[in-house]
Amino acid sequence: MPRGKLLPLLAVLTFSLTGCAALSGPTLTERIQRTDALYDKGREASVQMEGKQGDYKAAACYYERSARQGGAKGAYALATLYRDGLVQEKTEGAAKEKAFFWMREAAVGGWAQAQYELSVFYYEGKGVEPDHKEASAWLQKAAENNNTLAQRFLGELYLNGKNPRGTITLQRDTRKASYWYLRAAEGGDAEAAATIGYMYANGVGIEKDYVQASKWLTVAANKGVTQGRANLANLYAQAKGGPRDYDKAVELYEQAHAGGDAHAGYNLGVLYYYAQPPHGNVKKAVELFRQADQRGIAAAATMLGVASAAGKGVPQDYSTAVAFFERGIKGGDAAAYARLGECYRDGKGVPKNLDQAQKTFHDGAVAGDPASQRLLAELYLKGKDGQRNYVEALRWSLAAAGRGDQKAMLMAATMYEKGVGVQRDVVQARKWYQAAADYMPHESPYARPEAYRPMQAKGREGLARLKNQ
């Protein structure tokens, strides 16, 4: 088409389109302004003034007008009035149905909070039949729409495979859990910050990073999250993510304990029990252990047994210690097996019984307690009734060494060096001597240097013997 004829046609098209727009009613901007104005009137009606209750019926009218003209936040506000029972309906069921209807309208309109709450409606069957497929879909939309509650909830589902009440299930995926917790934390959710800090500290679903753990746990602690304070205290006590600082650890443990965290109180008790002056205080430790024991923390019962056996903070009494160790085992604390097994091995608080000692060590070893594994290995190595079992001794010493037990590292290294229970293996011997030499008590922050430095020296001695082999 010639250029001269094209320009008039474009002019006609432009005019026609402009004309259609002029005849099509209010623009999108005008519609948004209109729905916002109605929403604002609803807000004004619902405000309590001079001790008088808000006019929720009038507010509902404004919100509904806003919602029917496409206002998503008006629809959400209307849904919350029905959800919270602020607008009366003939029956509770009718109110739930209206709450669901308008919540869904708001969710379809893109309101992220409504998408999150709609997912909860579907999960819990509020105003609608439970539908986990729909619930998961809306939860995902809300999370992608940067709703931090949805992101944290989604992270919780992926982390645990279910919600705390166990009514919602999902395929467990710690990598996805860490992704959503981090998104929520970055969006300002303090609870999520506490969880992602824990995940960084323990390498759950994400690469272990104590600096990042400290960063997020500090955020959570500063916002008053009890679990954030407790886990940040652990980092200060164990010198992870920064220098060891018992003063800050004590302060944070105390705050978390005051906030109702019984485990924080137990951990503070451990610090008081094992830390050197000026932080050690065995009387305070025992009192905290008693409180934690009363709240069902099995490890606290074990520590009361430790205190009774040592006569620290309480009179020395092995019979009492045995009773506490048995209670610790019953409560599920694997560390109690080693303590009780030693009582049977040495005849303290109970008649000496090597068979029972071996059984107790074995139970603890199977439960994954490294001290029980090493003590069982020692029993096999020394022999019971003249019967040694070097194969089992090596097996359990390696299990304990792999869990960070320095004495077990040296035991395994020596057995490989001398070919006890196994063909002589210099490479493996060097490996475990090196591990013992490099050992640092990060997981046991109250270990005395005089306890682990001599074994570091033995590791170096072993390496020197094998240097040219």
Side-chain angles (χ1 to χ4, degrees):
M1 180 182 292
R3 180 183 176 86
K5 293 183 179 180
L6 178 61
L7 290 176
L9 177 60
L10 288 174
V12 170
L13 288 172
T14 302
F15 175 79
S16 299
L17 290 171
T18 304
C20 289
L23 297 173
S24 65
T27 64
L28 179 60
T29 300
E30 290 170 337
R31 288 176 61 194
I32 292 172
Q33 289 173 344
R34 184 178 299 173
T35 59
D36 284 353
L38 289 166
Y39 171 81
D40 290 340
K41 287 184 178 181
R43 290 273 293 174
E44 290 172 9
S46 65
V47 172
Q48 297 182 16
M49 296 182 64
E50 298 178 357
K52 294 183 179 180
Q53 191 174 24
D55 189 343
Y56 297 120
K57 187 175 181 180
C61 290
Y62 285 119
Y63 288 149
E64 185 167 345
R65 288 173 62 190
S66 173
R68 288 189 180 280
Q69 295 185 50
K73 64 180 177 180
Y76 174 70
L78 182 58
T80 61
L81 290 181
Y82 286 117
R83 179 198 66 193
D84 299 338
L86 297 175
V87 178
Q88 297 299 315
E89 281 295 307
K90 292 180 180 180
T91 65
E92 183 180 348
K96 287 183 177 180
E97 288 175 4
K98 285 196 173 183
F100 168 78
F101 175 84
W102 290 113
M103 195 67 75
R104 195 176 195 287
E105 288 292 297
V108 171
W111 201 252
Q113 180 65 19
Q115 293 170 340
Y116 164 66
E117 293 193 38
L118 183 64
S119 74
V120 176
F121 279 22
Y122 274 117
Y123 274 130
E124 299 183 356
K126 291 182 177 180
V128 65
E129 288 296 316
D131 188 330
H132 285 196
K133 185 176 180 181
E134 279 290 305
S136 297
W138 283 110
L139 185 63
Q140 187 78 28
K141 285 182 182 179
E144 291 170 352
N145 207 6
N146 292 322
N147 181 273
T148 57
L149 289 175
Q151 290 168 341
R152 169 155 54 94
F153 192 11
L154 198 54
E156 180 182 46
L157 290 175
Y158 278 123
L159 180 62
N160 302 311
K162 61 183 179 181
N163 71 324
R165 293 188 298 276
T167 57
I168 307 167
T169 57
L170 196 68
Q171 182 65 43
R172 192 169 184 267
D173 188 326
T174 57
R175 184 185 62 79
K176 288 182 179 178
S178 67
Y179 170 80
W180 286 114
Y181 272 121
L182 184 57
R183 284 275 301 270
E186 290 171 340
D189 188 287
E191 295 285 348
T195 304
I196 194 62
Y198 168 84
M199 295 177 81
Y200 269 120
N202 294 279
V204 178
I206 200 166
E207 187 175 352
K208 188 178 289 188
D209 187 328
Y210 293 127
V211 174
Q212 285 296 313
S214 180
K215 168 190 168 181
W216 289 113
L217 290 174
T218 299
V219 168
N222 289 341
K223 291 184 177 181
V225 179
T226 296
Q227 198 57 45
R229 287 171 170 168
N231 285 326
L232 183 60
N234 292 340
L235 294 189
Y236 279 123
Q238 298 175 16
K240 293 177 177 178
R244 180 172 285 120
D245 191 327
Y246 287 148
D247 289 326
K248 287 185 178 178
V250 168
E251 179 184 359
L252 288 163
Y253 279 140
E254 286 178 340
Q255 290 173 353
H257 186 220
D261 189 329
H263 287 279
Y266 164 76
N267 285 332
L268 178 58
V270 173
L271 188 155
Y272 280 141
Y273 189 86
Y274 285 116
Q276 299 182 47
H279 300 98
N281 189 324
V282 292
K283 287 187 177 180
K284 281 187 178 181
V286 168
E287 179 55 35
L288 287 165
F289 292 147
R290 283 176 176 152
Q291 292 175 20
D293 178 43
Q294 289 170 359
R295 295 184 65 177
I297 297 178
T302 302
M303 284 306 303
L304 286 170
V306 171
S308 297
K312 290 180 64 174
V314 291
Q316 188 177 50
D317 187 332
Y318 284 108
S319 296
T320 299
V322 167
F324 276 124
F325 294 147
E326 288 175 341
R327 194 151 94 207
I329 289 172
K330 187 176 180 180
D333 182 34
Y337 285 105
R339 301 290 188 173
L340 182 60
E342 287 178 312
C343 289
Y344 280 113
R345 182 195 65 190
D346 302 332
K348 292 182 176 179
V350 288
K352 185 173 182 178
N353 188 329
L354 291 182
D355 288 331
Q356 187 61 43
Q358 182 175 319
K359 181 183 182 305
T360 305
F361 289 147
H362 185 271
D363 289 344
V366 171
D369 175 54
S372 295
Q373 292 169 340
R374 187 236 313 149
L375 289 166
L376 180 61
E378 289 178 357
L379 208 57
Y380 279 125
L381 189 62
K382 293 176 181 177
K384 181 172 67 70
D385 299 327
Q387 300 297 314
R388 292 183 173 88
N389 189 329
Y390 295 130
V391 173
E392 285 295 291
L394 180 62
R395 172 195 172 193
W396 289 112
S397 66
L398 286 172
R403 288 179 174 270
D405 188 293
Q406 191 185 24
K407 289 181 180 178
M409 294 173 188
L410 289 174
M411 188 187 306
T414 302
M415 293 183 76
Y416 275 119
E417 181 186 5
K418 297 181 177 180
V420 177
V422 67
Q423 185 175 354
R424 190 170 187 270
D425 190 328
V426 174
V427 173
Q428 285 296 314
R430 284 199 195 101
K431 170 187 171 181
W432 290 113
Y433 278 133
Q434 188 70 61
D438 294 341
Y439 174 85
M440 289 299 291
H442 292 299
E443 300 299 331
S444 303
Y446 314 110
R448 301 286 196 272
E450 58 267 25
Y452 63 85
R453 283 180 182 164
M455 288 187 284
Q456 288 177 328
K458 288 183 179 180
R460 290 191 292 270
E461 291 170 3
L463 289 171
R465 283 197 306 273
L466 300 175
K467 183 175 181 180
N468 297 319
Q469 294 187 37

